[in-house]
Every structure is written in structure tokens, then in C-alpha cells.
Amino acid sequence: MRFLLTDEQREFGRSLDALLTAADTPAVLRAWAAGDHGPGRALWGRLADAGVFALAVPEAYGGVGPLPVEAAVACVELGRHAVPGPVAETLAAGALLAGAGGPVAEEWLPGIASGTAVVSLALEGYGPYAPDADAADAVFTVTGDELRLAPGPGELSASADPARRLFRPEPGGAPVAKGPAIRAAARAAGDTAAFATAALALGCGEELLRATVAYVKQRTQFGVPVGSFQAVKHRLADTLIGLEFARPLLYGAAVELASEVSRPGAGAGSAEGSPGAGAAVAAAKVTAGEAGYAAARTALQLHGAVGYTEELDLAWWLRRARPLRDAWGTPSACRARVLAG
């Protein structure tokens, strides 16, 4: 398969890059980590105006999706700029609620599409945590064939990324939907969350590599730039190869997801996570996650001690790489799914 983004898709990515460059996301990250969600919610609204969250919501509920390729383009840019908030979880909620249908979909999906609703998720089989639940307008949980709206964000747990806080949602809450359709919707939501996280990890790795290349060009040792050393060049080349190898797997998974949604008899949001699409998502997730984490290790080594400092913006990307690698499918779980699929 030869796959290239269209001119419109590339322009969409460039427009998001320009928007986020002007937004000063490191300042937004620092505020978010301190519990001030105001700047982050303002940025969320601008992203929604650009159409980011509508990509996961069917047209019947005020969205334009699901459009996995465009969602991948958007999430790579959001990952490059380390946008805080439950991005993958809100996009996954589009698949979950569209599959559930009924009043809960009618109540929440238009708000997700417009950016007025920030949503977090905790799905059975993916761990007990809901990222950034304290900043979310709703936290949905799925157990078996029951979809519940958690009564509160619950208990805060430790996280390697201070701008990606993990919560155990409060138990209870009346079911808002139940039945076999919830299981299928949860599988589709899990695939969507893993897919979006893969794109975020790829974007995070790209920014780590860019920052590292810029740094080794200006840092000198023995009177020459560190970047001129052969060992440094090889390390950077290996990092680039890992990221570039992950990219076609990500967009291949997007094509698989788009095909699954558009197959005869499958309405928008009704995809059940077929083995083929699920395996493609798992392959993209493990490859992008490992590549992003490798980029973080390279960045830390080549920056030296300065890479540890809180004052350096790079620290926010370094702390994000490993949680993105492990969220919504650890490397071992993704490899097992690829083999099974």
C-alpha cells in the first residue's frame, strides 16, 4: 500500500502546529500540573474550534467523524506540543458513546464535538485509572456490559508525568446504558484510545528528537559541536529511524479503522474492534510508544545533566514519553495482540 496524506490533511496539521506554537504550551503544562485548568481548557476550546474533537463524533451528533486519518494528524501535533488533558480519552469517548447510543450519546457527544465537554474513561481490561479525571466534566467507566457515569474523580494516584494525573474513579453511579452493545462499544473505544495514544507518542518523540538535534548543534566539546561526533550522529539516526518506522504503522492503522467503520452494515461509531483493525492498532501503539520512549532516552543522554532540570521545558516531554508508551496497552500486551490478530 502506498499511502500519502492529502494536501488538505497536511494543511490541517500545519494549522494546528501554528495554533499550538502560539499557545505557549509549556506555560499551559505548568499551570495544569499545579491544578490550574483554566489555560488548558481555553486551549482545548481553540482546538475544538479547529475541529479536533469533532473528528471522533458522528455527524448525527454534531461531529464530522469518525475520521481516523485526520485524528492521527491532529494527535501527532498535540503530542509534539505536549497538550495537557485527556485527549485520547475524550476521542475514545466519541466511539464509546456513539456505540452505546440513546440518551447518553445525545447528552454528551455534541459537547465533546464542540469542546465544551472534556471526558475521561476507565475501561475494563486497561487498568483502573482515568487520566485527568479532576479536570473532566464526566468520567465514564465500563464493567462488563454496563456503562456508568462515575460520581466523582476519586482517589489521586502517583504519576510519572505531573501534567497527566491519574485517578481511580469513585465506585458506584447508576448505569447510563447496558447490554451487549456496550461491550462492542468499549472494544472500539479501547482501540481508539490506543490509536490516539500512539499518535501522541509519535509526536512526543518527534519533538524530543528535534530539541536534541538543536542542542547538540550548539553544545561544544573539545572546541567542536557535540553533534559532529560519530557516536552522537549514530544515536540520533537510530532514533529517527525508529520514529519513521512507526509512522506508516500509525497511518496504516488509521486506514484499517476507517475501513472497519465504513464496512457495509456498520454505522458510525459501531465498529466492534475486529481482529485485523485491533492488531493494526496494537502494532502502531507498541512501535510508536517504544520509538517515543527511545527518543526520550536519547534526549536525556545527549542533553546530559541539564536534561534533569525542572527549568528546561524538555523535562515535560521526557516525563510524558514513558506514560504514553504504557497507557492503553503496554508493549507486552500490544505484542500479544499483534500475534493473536
Side-chain angles (χ1 to χ4, degrees):
M1 176 186 294
R2 183 172 184 267
F3 178 81
L4 293 173
L5 296 176
T6 66
D7 291 341
E8 291 79 7
Q9 290 164 342
R10 292 179 185 276
E11 182 57 34
F12 179 50
R14 286 191 290 267
S15 68
L16 290 177
D17 179 41
L19 184 157
L20 293 168
T21 299
D24 187 17
T25 52
V28 177
L29 281 163
R30 287 184 169 85
W32 191 276
D36 179 7
H37 301 132
R41 289 295 296 254
L43 177 57
W44 194 280
R46 292 198 291 275
L47 291 170
D49 290 342
V52 170
F53 301 107
L55 297 171
V57 176
E59 293 183 15
Y61 298 100
V64 297
L67 295 174
V69 176
E70 285 77 6
V73 171
C75 286
V76 168
E77 292 302 326
L78 269 59
R80 284 207 313 114
H81 291 273
V83 172
V87 172
E89 293 73 25
T90 297
L91 292 173
L96 176 65
L97 299 180
V104 67
E106 295 172 359
E107 178 180 0
W108 288 100
L109 285 177
I112 290 174
S114 66
T116 58
V118 176
V119 177
S120 192
L121 293 176
L123 300 180
E124 192 174 36
Y126 289 97
Y129 300 117
D132 298 308
D134 61 330
D137 300 296
V139 179
F140 290 100
T141 64
V142 175
T143 305
D145 61 358
E146 288 190 341
L147 171 64
R148 295 175 181 267
L149 180 60
E155 178 186 355
L156 175 64
S157 299
S159 173
D161 181 358
R164 189 176 185 273
R165 291 146 55 90
L166 302 177
F167 291 82
R168 287 179 177 266
E170 290 183 9
V176 293
K178 61 174 61 178
I182 299 303
R183 291 182 182 269
R187 287 194 294 270
D191 283 348
T192 301
F195 171 71
T197 303
L200 292 169
L202 178 61
C204 179
E206 288 181 347
E207 176 57 21
L208 285 163
L209 178 60
R210 183 208 63 78
T212 306
V213 169
Y215 180 74
V216 299
K217 285 181 178 179
Q218 67 179 13
R219 179 187 173 193
T220 60
Q221 193 171 20
F222 308 117
V224 297
V226 171
S228 65
F229 299 158
Q230 199 72 6
V232 172
K233 291 180 180 180
H234 285 173
R235 186 67 185 266
L236 292 171
D238 289 343
T239 302
L240 176 61
I241 289 170
L243 293 168
E244 289 303 316
F245 184 72
R247 192 183 313 279
L249 292 179
L250 175 68
Y251 287 108
V255 172
E256 288 283 351
L257 289 172
S259 299
E260 177 68 14
V261 171
S262 62
R263 64 181 168 81
S270 66
E272 298 184 5
S274 72
V281 169
K285 175 65 171 60
V286 67
T287 308
E290 295 281 31
Y293 182 52
R297 291 169 63 89
T298 296
L300 186 57
Q301 180 181 21
L302 297 186
H303 275 80
V306 72
Y308 287 98
T309 61
E310 289 282 346
E311 292 78 11
L312 192 68
D313 289 342
L314 181 81
W316 295 100
W317 279 260
L318 289 172
R319 289 176 169 180
R320 180 151 295 199
R322 183 162 184 170
L324 288 175
R325 185 196 71 169
D326 296 337
W328 296 105
T330 62
S332 60
C334 288
R335 290 188 178 97
R337 191 172 185 190
V338 170
L339 293 173

